[in-house]
Amino acid sequence: MTDLRVRAATTADATVDTVPDSAGPRGLTELRVQQWCVWSAPLFVVLLFGGLLLAGWVPPPAPGMTAAEVAAMYAQNPDLKRLGFIVVFLGGGVSAGLVAAIHHQLRRIPGARPLALLQVMGGTLGVAAVSAPAIVWMAAAYRPGRDPEITQALHDMAFIPFIGNLVPFLVQAVAIGVAVLMQDPDRPRLPRWLGFYNLWTAFLTLPGLLLIFFHGGAFAWNGLLVFWVVATVFGGWFLVMFTVLRARLRAEAA
Amino acid sequence: MTGVRTEPDRVIADDGEHMPGEAGIWIFVLGDMVVFAVCFAVLALVHAQDPAGYAVAQDVLHLWLGVVNTVVLVTSSLTMALAVHAARAGRPRRAASLVLATMAGAVVFVAVKAVEYTDLVAAGHTARSSDFFLYYFCFTGLHLLHVVIGLGVLAGVLRIVRRTAPTRHEMGLVESGAGYWHMVDLLWLVLFGLLYTLG
Amino acid sequence: MDPTRTLVTVWAALIIATAVSVAIHLGLGAGAAAIVAVLVLAFVKVWLVGRHFMELRDAPAILRRLFDGYVVVVPVVLAGILLLS
């Protein structure tokens, strides 16, 4: 216990991390592994938007489509779509790497351990928020000959959470934001602006929750505010976290 | 990484420049202003599609309640700015009463908005009535959420300014909170202009 | 001018601008001139709040430029949407 506290105090004081880093087999240090983990963020962005592009869903299909139109859409380039779903599915899994790397930083902020844990919970559910819709898309595309109404139901069941399931991300971003702002202002481990940035990002996801009321317009799942703003901010968040964590790990390595 | 460790150095720096609040709060403020700019553009598009329908729907709004809320919010912004000056001048009691006045303004704003919403809904004007009302409720609702969060922010500011000698870091937090509140004010000024007075 | 007086003057200007925009709305009604007037008044108010209440007057140049850019670009885009379509 005392050991832990002393250790927390030292890490808080030092600009460069002083926690002894026990190397694994073949000299793979924690630092090294983290440096790999953060690359999952840009990889996630590429896979997520790449998968959507393969499926032909940038911008997303209009929520106002009829059942017959939805079924016809799934019948078009079905194998390319299935490939796209697999890519999105993989992307969801890959994003877990960033969650682990963020955890490694947050848990060393004195007093922020519960928030570090909360970040992992939000981030883990975030993986599911991407993977689960991908699985439902797979099911929707599996039997092209079935009743279009059923395909439409599956399509809604995938798209509504895919665009609208932002609560895990909200939890994650708020946890990071508060933890970053809890740091000693004179010796921040992560830059303080990152805290405000995370709170702002969390806030921006809120309009996404309104999508279930709309079949068209700015708040629909393909709308200006719910898709374009949220997709930009969400994708941008991964790239910002990547850049900041990489700079941090470089400083630790130096 | 420039601006990473911006400390609110002092009240007015030697070169005459002073970052109001922490650098980070400006990511939040400017970021939010950009998102609201998208909302403003949506309103402009709704107006452009059907100017006559926009005007008809707009006439239903209670212009004078909107004016009252504008005056309330602008005044609360003034008391907030004065509170920051009082805190800097080392006058905690004056600063605390000014922050309390700002919070009172926020409460009045929420109350007036509640009256307005209930009255509109009672008269049968809901978010389903037309595009105008849809975005009226969504955007003023989003703004109202900012006001409610602002009440929490102001409560935090109040705790700091009550102290006799806030540290530089704490003064930075006060300025950041004030910056957030002024943002709530200026977003409303544009929303008011577009929703209530765009012919 | 001492800071308190400046702030109160800005406040008065904001109130007057609000009154003017309401008068224009009630007097001029619809039309291009009214649209431009409403936009100009709204963003002049935004600029006043930023410059004096948010203390951007003394802020680093980058912050001032971003804010000034916003106050110019957003109303121009809005005017474009409102008047050209």
Side-chain angles (χ1 to χ4, degrees):
Chain A
M1 244 356 243
T2 337
D3 176 40
L4 272 182
R5 218 169 295 145
V6 171
R7 192 188 260 203
T10 3
T11 40
D13 283 338
T15 334
V16 174
D17 197 3
T18 52
V19 173
D21 184 358
S22 50
R26 285 188 281 161
L28 277 177
T29 59
E30 276 186 10
L31 186 67
R32 199 75 229 187
V33 174
Q34 284 182 77
Q35 282 172 334
W36 287 348
C37 279
V38 292
W39 275 99
S40 72
L43 187 59
F44 164 73
V45 174
V46 170
L47 291 174
L48 180 73
F49 290 99
L52 285 177
L53 279 171
L54 280 175
W57 284 348
V58 179
M65 287 166 83
T66 64
E69 283 167 349
V70 170
M73 178 178 69
Y74 275 87
Q76 211 180 13
N77 297 328
D79 286 333
L80 204 58
K81 281 205 165 53
R82 289 173 184 132
L83 185 65
F85 303 153
I86 294 174
V87 171
V88 172
F89 192 26
L90 284 171
V94 160
S95 70
L98 181 72
V99 181
I102 296 171
H103 178 251
H104 215 77
Q105 295 297 331
L106 293 197
R107 73 193 180 102
R108 291 188 240 170
I109 296 171
R113 288 217 169 194
L115 293 170
L117 193 58
L118 192 61
Q119 188 275 143
V120 173
M121 291 172 177
T124 308
L125 289 169
V127 171
V130 173
S131 311
I135 295 169
V136 180
W137 282 326
M138 291 175 185
Y142 190 59
R143 294 182 201 278
R146 76 157 88 77
D147 182 351
E149 297 265 334
I150 295 173
T151 299
Q152 188 189 32
L154 289 171
H155 179 66
D156 287 346
M157 219 181 135
F159 253 103
I160 289 169
F162 180 68
I163 309 281
N165 189 0
L166 293 158
V167 176
F169 180 67
L170 180 87
V171 170
Q172 187 185 14
V174 169
I176 297 170
V178 176
V180 166
L181 293 178
M182 272 172 67
Q183 298 175 107
D184 178 348
D186 294 324
R187 295 178 216 83
R189 157 175 289 278
L190 295 168
R192 286 180 62 85
W193 63 260
L194 191 71
F196 289 107
Y197 173 74
N198 268 276
L199 293 179
W200 172 67
T201 311
F203 203 69
L204 265 193
T205 61
L206 288 173
L209 301 175
L210 294 176
L211 73 84
I212 49 168
F213 294 103
F214 300 101
H215 294 99
F219 285 97
W221 79 42
N222 65 344
L224 187 61
L225 280 169
V226 167
F227 180 73
W228 292 105
V229 171
V230 171
T232 312
V233 167
F234 184 71
W237 181 84
F238 278 85
L239 301 180
V240 168
M241 292 307 286
F242 165 70
T243 315
V244 171
L245 286 182
R246 222 167 103 79
R248 169 73 210 161
L249 293 173
R250 279 213 176 127
E252 282 179 22
Chain B
M1 296 245 157
T2 47
V4 162
R5 295 178 53 185
T6 315
E7 269 287 283
D9 293 343
R10 26 99 312 132
V11 181
I12 302 285
D14 300 329
D15 54 0
E17 279 193 355
H18 169 59
M19 176 71 85
E22 290 193 36
I25 190 69
W26 288 96
I27 291 188
F28 193 105
V29 168
L30 292 173
D32 235 29
M33 282 167 62
V34 169
V35 172
F36 265 89
V38 176
C39 300
F40 302 152
V42 169
L43 282 176
L45 284 168
V46 172
H47 184 281
Q49 275 162 11
D50 180 14
Y54 194 99
V56 169
Q58 182 176 65
D59 278 344
V60 175
L61 294 186
H62 306 290
L63 176 65
W64 297 109
L65 288 182
V67 171
V68 167
N69 259 350
T70 306
V71 173
V72 165
L73 220 47
V74 165
T75 309
S76 78
S77 228
L78 171 69
T79 52
M80 190 66 232
L82 291 173
V84 171
H85 279 280
R88 277 187 198 137
R91 301 175 66 185
R93 296 184 80 179
R94 179 177 153 85
S97 1
L98 283 164
V99 174
L100 274 172
T102 310
M103 293 175 78
V107 171
V108 171
F109 184 92
V110 174
V112 170
K113 212 83 206 114
V115 169
E116 217 180 333
Y117 282 164
T118 31
D119 208 62
L120 283 172
V121 172
H125 305 287
T126 66
R128 290 268 174 245
S129 306
S130 63
D131 273 359
F132 177 86
F133 277 107
L134 168 62
Y135 293 116
Y136 166 82
F137 280 107
C138 285
F139 294 157
T140 57
L142 192 62
H143 178 264
L144 198 60
L145 189 63
H146 279 74
V147 175
V148 172
I149 292 175
L151 265 171
V153 171
L154 292 173
V157 168
L158 183 63
R159 264 186 55 187
I160 298 175
V161 297
R162 273 193 173 140
R163 289 179 207 147
T164 29
T167 63
R168 277 178 180 177
H169 173 64
E170 284 173 336
M171 267 316 291
L173 291 178
V174 169
E175 289 176 359
S176 301
Y180 175 86
W181 189 252
H182 297 311
M183 175 197 76
V184 170
D185 179 31
L186 72 79
L187 293 176
W188 172 257
L189 291 175
V190 183
L191 275 182
F192 171 77
L194 292 177
L195 287 168
Y196 291 80
T197 65
L198 194 67
Chain C
M1 232 190 314
D2 86 292
T4 306
R5 269 190 65 187
T6 313
L7 290 174
V8 173
T9 312
V10 169
W11 172 82
L14 290 168
I15 299 294
I16 291 167
T18 305
V20 171
S21 65
V22 171
I24 289 173
H25 171 63
L26 296 176
L28 278 180
I35 287 175
V36 171
V38 161
L39 286 178
V40 168
L41 279 169
F43 282 86
V44 164
K45 288 196 275 183
V46 167
W47 187 77
L48 283 173
V49 170
R51 187 165 169 83
H52 294 282
F53 288 176
M54 285 175 155
E55 303 187 328
L56 286 171
R57 199 172 44 163
D58 305 319
I62 167 87
L63 207 53
R64 278 200 321 258
R65 282 200 201 111
L66 284 171
F67 190 85
D68 290 348
Y70 182 90
V71 172
V72 173
V73 171
V74 175
V76 167
V77 171
L78 293 179
I81 297 173
L82 287 165
L83 299 176
L84 299 180
S85 50

